[in-house]
Structures are given as C-alpha cells and as structure tokens.
Amino acid sequence: MPSILIVIPCFNEELRLDPTQVEALLSDPRLGVVLVDDGSRDGTLALLQRLAAEHPGLIDVVTLPENRGKGEAVRVGLRHALDRGADVVGYLDADFATPPAELFRVVDAIFEAPAVVALGSRVRLLGRQIERSPWRHYLGRVFATLSSLALRLDVYDTQCGAKAFSRHPALLRAVAHPFQSRWAFDLELIQRLLCDPHDPLAPSDFVEVPLQKWHDAPGSKLRPSGMTRALWDLALIARRRARPRG
C-alpha cells in the first residue's frame, strides 16, 4: 500500500476531472489517491470507478450517498486514508489548479522541514506562475488576513486546496467527527489541530510552501452566499480558538 494517500473531493466533476492529472500523481511511487464522490448527479462516480479499475491498489473510491459539501468529502477521505494506515495524507482540488508536481513539493516539505502540516501557498512573486483573477486575489488576501488573526497563526494562505499532513494523534481526532464549517473547513481543521485537548500542535509544526505554479480554473462552486457563510464560520472559529483549553 502507498505510504502517502492524497484525497480528491469530487462533486459533478465528470467534465472537469482530468484522468491524466490523476495518473500524473501516481507517477510518484510513494503516492496513492482517494477519490471521494460527494453525491454527484452526473457521471462522476462512473469515471472514478473506471480510474480505480485501471489502477488497482493505487486508487480508492469512497462514495457519499448525497452531497455533503467539500469539507465533509475531504474529512471522510482523510479518515479513510488514515484508516488505511497512510503515514502522510493530503488533499487536492479536483480541478488541479495546483499541478501534481507542486503537490509533490508540498508533500516533500513534510519530510524536509520536518513538519506535521504543510500548506501550499499562492504567493505572487516574479518568476512564479500564479494565475489568479484580481477579485479572487484581493478577496482572498482579506480573508487570509482575517484567518491569520482568528487562528493566532502567522499564515499567508489558508485556502489553497493543496495540503499535506503527517500522521499524528491530533489529526486522527481532528477528522473523527464532521466539520461545522462547510466552506471554511480548512480553517476549522487547523483550529482543531492547534486546540487538540491532548496533544495540540504548535505553530512550529506548520510550514508553508510557496507554489511555483497555480492557475485559476473555471467552474468554481464558491458563490457570494458561500463567502458570506465562510466569514460567519471564521467568526465562530475565532471564538473557539480564543477559548482556553481545559
């Protein structure tokens, strides 16, 4: 069994999920993939099952009977990967806005730092190909700044869809029950790790990996109403983070 399992949440991704990109992840012999169908109403499940049949032992398919949202799809996938005994788990968006080669860099940071959590970070610098629409970039910067304050963690980019985690008791507990946040689940997961009652992570357990390439893929399911709910979720996360442990 691969020692690293990457979760890809899928909801109505029949036309967007590129099988060649999934196969590119498998070019790293350490990696396997967990494809989670989040109650899709198109041909996504059939596509996922075909990929799994073509790569036995390297791709698992997990199905949710109804659409539960990206956060729940990721959580269920991470729990499945940990139950399979993976040493490192992670997740990646189905649109592959983060290319496979960049995901490899995020995973490698777990071992090189070393770190418990590695976060892909979309930093626009000369010499990097970070292609993001202006409105998403500036809205994202506002949200990221508020997120850093809420988490009490100096993090640049909480919402990039490429993250990796070393197996850790706090992570096992963090994914044991559903997230309360539908859109801000990344923040809630980090908050759970920082506030674990038995073995909380410290800021030094986290590392950010500035991506070399990232592109804004069309077809995002985030709507203005979703951003409003994400801000509300952020306020709740900040309140929980502020509570003293014990």
Side-chain angles (χ1 to χ4, degrees), residues 6-7 9 13 23 27 32 46 56 64 72 90 96 119 153 194 216 222:
I6 303 301
V7 175
E13 300 288 359
E23 291 164 351
S27 66
L64 298 177
E72 182 64 1
F96 282 91
L119 312 174
L153 184 71
L194 290 168
D216 219 345
L222 180 60

Side-chain angles (χ1 to χ4, degrees), residues 19 22 30 33 50 61 84 86-87 105 130 136 153 194 210 218 235:
V22 177
R30 304 170 299 169
V33 175
R50 177 172 63 80
V61 175
R84 286 281 310 274
D87 297 319
R105 295 180 59 242
I130 306 298
R136 289 193 67 176
L153 184 71
L194 290 168

Side-chain angles (χ1 to χ4, degrees), residues 56-82:
L58 295 178
I59 295 179
D60 289 354
V61 175
V62 177
T63 60
L64 298 177
E66 59 184 20
N67 178 242
R68 300 288 300 279
K70 181 181 175 183
E72 182 64 1
V74 167
R75 186 192 71 84
V76 169
L78 291 176
R79 187 168 181 179
H80 174 88
L82 291 165

Side-chain angles (χ1 to χ4, degrees), residues 159-233:
Q159 300 310 108
C160 179
K163 294 180 173 63
F165 308 82
S166 181
R167 189 180 188 90
H168 190 280
L171 179 63
L172 295 171
R173 286 186 285 269
V175 300
H177 52 93
F179 297 119
Q180 296 177 3
S181 307
R182 185 178 179 95
W183 290 109
F185 73 92
D186 304 81
L187 301 180
E188 186 172 350
L189 176 55
I190 294 171
Q191 179 259 329
R192 289 184 182 188
L193 294 172
L194 290 168
C195 298
D196 183 79
H198 303 292
D199 192 7
L201 299 192
S204 58
D205 292 315
F206 293 77
V207 64
E208 283 194 270
V209 182
L211 300 180
Q212 300 285 351
K213 294 183 179 181
W214 189 93
H215 64 92
D216 219 345
S220 171
K221 298 178 176 66
L222 180 60
R223 299 291 181 265
S225 60
M227 179 55 70
T228 300
R229 178 56 195 267
L231 290 171
W232 174 252
D233 289 340

Side-chain angles (χ1 to χ4, degrees), residues 45-171:
L45 180 57
L47 172 61
L48 305 188
Q49 291 172 334
R50 177 172 63 80
L51 284 169
E54 292 173 353
H55 302 279
L58 295 178
I59 295 179
D60 289 354
V61 175
V62 177
T63 60
L64 298 177
E66 59 184 20
N67 178 242
R68 300 288 300 279
K70 181 181 175 183
E72 182 64 1
V74 167
R75 186 192 71 84
V76 169
L78 291 176
R79 187 168 181 179
H80 174 88
L82 291 165
D83 287 345
R84 286 281 310 274
D87 297 319
V88 172
V89 299
Y91 56 90
L92 189 67
D93 288 341
D95 59 13
F96 282 91
T98 303
E102 293 299 286
L103 188 276
F104 297 155
R105 295 180 59 242
V106 173
V107 168
D108 287 341
I110 290 285
F111 304 100
E112 294 168 357
V116 178
V117 181
L119 312 174
S121 186
R122 298 162 292 184
V123 184
R124 299 183 69 176
L125 298 172
L126 292 174
R128 300 180 189 270
Q129 299 176 32
I130 306 298
E131 302 170 2
R132 200 176 186 189
S133 65
W135 78 269
R136 289 193 67 176
H137 170 72
Y138 291 112
L139 190 61
R141 293 310 314 133
V142 171
F143 190 81
T145 300
L146 294 174
S147 300
S148 181
L149 294 171
L151 292 169
R152 301 182 182 180
L153 184 71
D154 291 330
V155 55
Y156 180 85
D157 187 358
T158 58
Q159 300 310 108
C160 179
K163 294 180 173 63
F165 308 82
S166 181
R167 189 180 188 90
H168 190 280
L171 179 63

Side-chain angles (χ1 to χ4, degrees), residues 27-39:
S27 66
D28 186 324
R30 304 170 299 169
L31 265 65
V33 175
V34 179
L35 299 171
V36 182
D37 179 59
D38 185 21

